[in-house]
Amino acid sequence: MKYDIKDITLAKQGQDRITWAEREMPVLRAIRERFRKEKPVKGYRIAACLHVTTETANLMITLKEGGADVTLCASNPLSTQDDVAAALVKFHKIPVYSIKGESNKVYYSHLESAIKTIPQITMDDGADVVGLLHSKFQHLMPEVIGGTEETTTGVIRLKAMEQDGVLGYPIVAINDADTKHMFDNRYGTGQSTIDGILRATNILFAGRKVVVSGYGWCGRGVASRARGLGAHTIVTETDPLKALEAAMDGYDVMPMAKAAKIGNLFITVTGDKHVLREEHFKAMPDGAIICNSGHFNVEINIPELQKMSKSVKEVRPFVMEYHLKSGKRIYLLADGRLVNLSAAEGHPASVMDMSFANQALSVEFILANAKGLDRKVYSVPREIDREVARLKLKAMGIPIDTLTQEQSKYLVSWQEGT
Ligand code: ADE
């Protein structure tokens, strides 16, 4: 078996952590039990490009139990947990190509290694595998039956490809499931972003002026958790609806040009590029900390920051001090990459349970419905979404009401008024 990981001797530690995460993933565990018996993905080659974490490991093991031939590569050069990669190779015989801190060149060579397995299903987090298959590896596209995409940024890319008529095979947008974005993006990103910042810096949030840029599901989560820790929280937005929502949720809303002068911790979660740039670095107070929790490391214009600096040095793991020519210091966390996955462990297993349950069930859905699917981006079927919610509630021991016959009838009638 071929693979490329940092250190196989880390496998035992990785396995212990995978087992720990599994305890918090009851929905995926239930799916794994069924997959073990029914083998719904038997013999299919799956190339997964996901953050290599304990939670992802549990998804990979589930797919393998379902009979698939899985290969895993990282979806970000800094998010890999090397012990998890080692455990997957050593104890589960799953080929893994990922090393924390790998260069961009190695990152892409790892993607290529996964693609060279000639996948029938692709599983992306950020659409990098899809991108490569549609460019350098077009000749392998006829082999692909379908794919899944985990994240907002990836789904945006794929929808643009569909619009342009270039998408080569059907892809299920996992992010569109309510049981994904309402929980993973909001509570997962909310908590893990703060976790990454705390582990990197050990700063106090209480009383800090925190600027959250972007008020999508992730931004909502980050802002609410920052406020919960006592930070004075400011939101910047470009979308009037989201800005209005942030204002009515009780945040200060203002343009970044103004927020830059006030904030001392900046968190970008917009999915767009150069949200923090020269004009903002110039306005920030001395000692400002800046970081990103959006998918790509483009939200902070690092080359501009570099150009404005007379020196750059690492002052703690994941903390780079940019000493500007003006004399001011700005601290960049995790090289502008996802701070939650670089400086911490990503989202807790309990929310990834739902995201990855959607992944496993969507792969099963694609294979069962392959003939009827076009080269389009599909939402996760509503039945899957509701089933994931039902299973999660059951695992949490939360029973809910059911509609009476009278109530069900009322909801589909129009005759009854006041
Ligand atoms: N994305 C965010 N958190 C994650 C995690 N723990 N595992 C995999 N992907 C993630």
Side-chain angles (χ1 to χ4, degrees):
M1 184 178 96
K2 285 196 207 153
Y3 58 87
D4 190 22
I5 60 169
K6 182 164 183 211
D7 182 359
I8 196 79
T9 68
L10 298 172
K12 164 78 173 67
Q13 175 192 313
Q15 183 55 49
D16 289 347
R17 294 180 56 248
I18 292 168
T19 306
W20 177 254
E22 187 189 325
R23 294 176 58 254
E24 291 278 315
M25 305 183 86
V27 180
L28 193 63
R29 276 202 319 267
I31 294 169
R32 187 184 297 176
E33 277 305 307
R34 181 170 66 75
F35 272 28
R36 183 177 295 142
K37 288 185 209 126
E38 297 177 8
K39 306 278 181 221
V41 290
K42 188 163 186 211
Y44 287 105
R45 291 183 302 277
I46 301 178
C49 177
L50 299 170
H51 300 294
V52 180
T53 64
T54 53
E55 294 76 25
T56 298
N58 276 294
L59 174 61
M60 296 299 104
I61 295 164
T62 301
L63 294 169
K64 188 156 183 195
E65 293 272 6
D69 198 350
V70 278
T71 302
L72 175 64
C73 63
S75 59
N76 184 292
L78 254 192
S79 61
T80 295
Q81 297 171 6
D82 291 312
D83 55 346
V84 169
L88 283 173
V89 168
K90 180 159 180 182
F91 299 122
H92 302 279
K93 307 291 172 245
I94 293 175
V96 181
Y97 296 90
S98 75
I99 298 172
K100 187 173 177 98
E102 63 198 11
S103 65
N104 257 23
K105 192 164 163 238
V106 173
Y107 172 76
Y108 277 101
S109 77
H110 283 162
L111 279 170
E112 292 195 5
S113 298
I115 290 173
K116 283 175 188 163
T117 62
I118 318 179
Q120 292 152 302
I121 295 282
T122 63
M123 200 173 254
D124 253 318
D125 187 337
D128 277 345
V129 166
V130 167
L132 262 184
L133 268 169
H134 283 70
S135 49
K136 192 169 169 187
F137 291 91
Q138 274 191 13
H139 58 288
L140 296 182
M141 282 235 286
E143 299 288 335
V144 185
I145 298 166
T148 62
E149 168 55 52
E150 171 78 4
T151 202
T152 319
T153 300
V155 172
I156 289 169
R157 269 191 183 180
L158 295 171
K159 287 188 176 161
M161 289 172 83
E162 182 191 324
Q163 283 275 308
D164 286 351
V166 296
L167 188 63
Y169 55 89
I171 304 209
V172 175
I174 304 299
N175 192 67
D176 287 357
D178 286 345
T179 46
K180 201 281 187 181
H181 63 258
M182 285 172 66
F183 303 92
D184 169 318
N185 300 29
R186 179 166 42 175
Y187 303 118
T189 309
Q191 180 170 316
S192 62
T193 299
I194 307 292
D195 186 16
I197 296 167
L198 290 180
R199 290 198 207 191
T201 63
N202 196 30
I203 56 169
L204 182 72
F205 265 69
R208 192 165 294 270
K209 295 200 172 62
V210 175
V211 179
V212 178
S213 195
Y215 204 66
W217 287 102
C218 295
R220 289 178 184 117
V222 173
S224 103
R225 270 42 190 160
R227 178 161 66 185
L229 285 172
H232 175 100
T233 309
I234 297 164
V235 169
T236 73
E237 247 303 338
T238 54
D239 179 324
L241 276 172
K242 289 181 181 150
L244 184 60
E245 186 184 351
M248 294 221 183
D249 282 347
Y251 298 103
D252 278 343
V253 178
M254 61 184 77
M256 185 58 89
K258 186 168 173 206
K261 294 186 198 144
I262 302 171
N264 43 27
L265 169 62
F266 295 81
I267 307 166
T268 57
V269 260
T270 69
D272 210 339
K273 69 192 293 193
H274 300 168
V275 178
L276 291 179
R277 48 187 184 266
E278 185 173 0
E279 59 188 287
H280 307 127
F281 304 140
K282 274 190 185 148
M284 284 176 191
D286 182 33
I289 297 171
I290 60 177
C291 64
N292 167 53
S293 228
H295 185 79
F296 288 115
N297 62 335
V298 295
E299 305 211 11
I300 300 172
N301 192 334
I302 300 171
E304 268 183 7
L305 183 61
Q306 201 122 30
K307 240 190 265 161
M308 293 168 69
S309 304
K310 57 183 174 194
S311 65
V312 183
K313 69 173 181 200
E314 189 180 43
V315 289
R316 284 168 65 98
F318 304 109
V319 185
M320 291 298 252
E321 179 186 87
Y322 284 76
H323 197 169
L324 306 196
K325 290 170 193 157
S326 65
K328 205 164 62 184
R329 291 178 175 86
I330 290 179
Y331 296 96
L332 172 68
L333 307 188
D335 292 332
R337 296 198 186 275
L338 290 151
V339 70
N340 59 339
L341 280 142
S342 305
E345 295 169 69
H347 305 353
S350 182
V351 282
M352 295 314 294
D353 187 26
M354 290 188 277
S355 309
F356 286 167
N358 278 297
Q359 284 278 10
L361 297 178
S362 294
V363 169
E364 186 181 28
F365 166 80
I366 293 166
L367 292 173
N369 296 279
K371 289 213 172 77
L373 299 176
D374 294 327
R375 296 168 179 192
K376 286 186 180 161
V377 179
Y378 288 88
S379 291
V380 172
R382 197 69 188 147
E383 312 82 73
I384 291 183
D385 209 356
R386 290 178 70 85
E387 173 69 357
V388 171
R390 203 184 57 73
L391 288 171
K392 191 70 176 176
L393 278 171
K394 188 168 168 226
M396 292 169 82
I398 304 175
I400 58 168
D401 289 326
T402 40
L403 294 172
T404 62
Q405 254 192 357
E406 183 194 25
Q407 287 172 324
S408 300
K409 201 167 151 219
Y410 181 77
L411 289 178
V412 292
S413 69
W414 51 268
Q415 292 92 345
E416 244 182 278
T418 355

